Amino acid sequence: MTPMTKAVESGTRLTPARGARAVPRSVWALGFVSMFMDISSEMVHALLPLYMVGVLGTSVLAVGLIEGIAEATASIVKVFSGAISDRFGKRKLLAVLGYGLGALTKPVFPLAGTLDWLVGARFVDRIGKGIRGAPRDALVADVTPPELRGTAYGLRQTLDTIGAFTGPLLAMGLMWWTANNYQRVFWLAVLPAFVAVAVLVVFVREPKLPEATRPRKLPLRRSELVRLGRSYWWVVGIGLVFTLARFSEAFLILRAQAVGLAPMWAPAVLVLMGVAYALSAYPAGVLSDRRPRQDVLLAGLALLVAADLVLAFVPGLWGLGLGVLLWGLHMGFTQGVFNTLIADSAPADLRGTAFGMYNLLTGVALLLASVIAGALWDLVGFEGTFACGALFAALTAVGLVLRRRQTA
């Protein structure tokens, strides 16, 4: 009996082990890898737009274009890295390559004296993110028994999110400590990135995938995509509509400014959101192993509808704080659960491809969602943006209910 399928005896019956202690060590390690890399990346990214505009004299439009191209690149690369990990069964190798590229770019930021170097480093960093994303998510499913998948994805998401809000907090504190010395903060951000790679290399163990179970060719062909199955494409379809409801968190910062929060403090809404996200992701994952996953997802959609309505119609700082808190909770109740549903619905030999396709399509949907949200903000105001988000979340819930009735 392996640690992954460890069970405790209860009378004459074996009950699968539950909770964080039953989660495989490799999943814990992947969670800490994500946490350390996010700390490093967010220490840089929280300051990079200010550095580019205030120090290098870059226009805000150029910053937006650079970020958009970088994120689009990451989404495209995820498809190919996921398919390659299925074909050759080397998920850890691709994860090491992706995180390694991310770590190697970090020293460029304090050394760069021109915009060209910063753009190149940002571009390579996002390629690294694209390479590691789908293989890492597939690896979590490979090493985790089905009855613990929700817990595993929730745990990894929690650790990842802790890094996502710890990084900006460290950046703010270090900027105060160093008297706004960008280069010194960027150098300090190098350390957690290389810690992440070391943890990945030493502590993550990859199960050997039998040659017979791997696709004979790179599985980005129509026949292989069809083999992903109707259940998988239903999850993707629901995820696409859901993504239209959860546009970029940059609109939360804009909402904070609309309330009258000083620009210096506006990013604090992301910290509040991240704390709520981190505190809810693991419990939601555990719950999804004990209850139908779709029920947990419906709860997350209800939280998103509530968040949008509060942000649209409740005035003042209290309305902002409550709306951001609900937004973070909805992230905790949905992101890990969607990953679990992808892992559950995709064939084991196509998990990397499945995560890659899902990330690509939802990445395009997120771009579209942000364009729609921005247009509504200009035409109607923030009320229109968040009301539209509530509408898309409600449509997602309807699709989920219809799906559940079909499979009942």
Side-chain angles (χ1 to χ4, degrees):
M1 188 176 299
T2 66
M4 291 187 297
T5 57
K6 182 174 63 176
V8 293
E9 191 168 1
S10 176
T12 58
R13 184 178 170 186
L14 287 176
T15 304
R18 300 282 186 179
R21 291 185 178 181
V23 173
R25 187 179 73 165
S26 289
V27 175
W28 276 97
L30 286 169
F32 281 108
V33 169
S34 296
M35 185 184 76
F36 283 116
M37 185 58 75
D38 262 15
I39 289 173
S40 174
S41 295
E42 294 304 324
M43 284 176 67
V44 173
H45 299 161
L47 300 175
L48 194 57
L50 300 175
Y51 181 69
M52 292 170 69
V53 174
V55 178
L56 298 181
T58 309
S59 70
V60 176
L61 175 60
V63 172
L65 289 173
I66 291 167
E67 289 298 307
I69 293 172
E71 293 301 331
T73 301
S75 296
I76 294 170
V77 172
K78 284 178 182 179
V79 178
F80 294 99
S81 65
I84 291 170
S85 77
D86 286 335
R87 172 64 186 89
F88 297 102
K90 301 294 184 183
R91 307 203 200 280
K92 179 180 174 179
L93 178 61
L94 287 165
V96 170
L97 176 60
Y99 280 106
L101 281 176
L104 289 174
T105 63
K106 294 302 185 289
V108 177
F109 292 100
L111 291 172
T114 64
L115 181 63
D116 293 343
W117 279 94
L118 288 178
V119 171
R122 185 77 173 112
F123 186 73
V124 174
D125 176 69
R126 293 300 87 181
I127 290 177
K129 180 181 179 181
I131 290 173
R132 67 187 181 245
R136 178 203 61 211
D137 291 339
L139 182 56
V140 171
D142 290 344
V143 301
T144 307
E147 68 273 8
L148 281 175
R149 278 182 190 153
T151 302
Y153 281 111
L155 176 66
R156 196 207 69 79
Q157 202 72 56
T158 289
L159 292 170
D160 179 275
T161 309
I162 289 172
F165 70 75
T166 300
L169 286 175
L170 283 173
M172 287 189 289
L174 289 169
M175 284 291 280
W176 171 80
W177 183 57
T178 63
N180 295 327
N181 189 320
Y182 286 96
Q183 278 79 14
R184 189 171 297 176
V185 177
F186 289 161
W187 274 120
L188 290 170
V190 172
L191 180 60
F194 281 91
V195 170
V197 177
V199 172
L200 175 59
V201 171
V202 175
F203 293 105
V204 174
R205 295 289 180 267
E206 179 178 20
K208 185 176 178 61
L209 298 178
E211 184 73 32
T213 65
R214 298 181 211 158
R216 293 184 178 179
K217 297 180 180 179
L218 198 66
L220 289 177
R221 294 170 293 140
R222 179 182 174 85
S223 59
E224 297 297 323
L225 296 179
V226 169
R227 195 162 66 84
L228 286 170
R230 181 177 297 179
S231 294
Y232 167 79
W233 289 110
W234 255 101
V235 174
V236 171
I238 291 170
L240 288 175
V241 181
F242 167 73
T243 304
L244 292 175
R246 55 157 309 268
F247 35 78
S248 169
E249 284 80 21
F251 289 94
L252 299 180
I253 296 179
L254 293 175
R255 182 69 179 91
Q257 289 182 327
V259 168
L261 206 62
M264 175 182 176
W265 297 107
V269 300
L270 298 183
V271 177
L272 176 59
M273 184 203 74
V275 171
Y277 186 1
L279 291 176
S280 59
Y282 174 69
V286 173
L287 185 62
S288 75
D289 286 332
R290 300 177 180 179
R291 301 279 304 170
R293 305 202 201 282
Q294 293 181 358
D295 289 353
V296 179
L297 200 54
L298 282 171
L301 291 168
L303 287 166
L304 179 55
V305 171
D308 281 324
L309 294 178
V310 168
L311 289 166
F313 302 115
V314 178
L317 287 175
W318 285 105
L320 174 68
L322 177 59
V324 170
L325 181 65
L326 290 169
W327 188 285
L329 291 174
H330 111 263
M331 295 284 284
F333 272 77
T334 56
Q335 299 307 295
V337 177
F338 263 115
N339 281 339
T340 308
L341 289 171
I342 293 293
D344 288 345
S345 60
D349 62 321
L350 290 177
R351 280 189 187 129
T353 305
F355 277 107
M357 288 298 301
Y358 175 74
N359 287 326
L360 171 63
L361 295 173
T362 54
V364 173
L366 183 58
L367 176 61
L368 179 60
S370 296
V371 171
I372 294 172
L376 286 171
W377 193 292
D378 287 338
L379 292 172
V380 184
F382 65 81
E383 296 90 349
T385 294
F386 290 106
C388 182
L391 176 61
F392 276 121
L395 290 174
T396 307
V398 170
L400 201 58
V401 170
L402 291 175
R403 175 60 179 162
R404 184 166 60 179
R405 288 181 178 177
Q406 287 186 0
T407 57

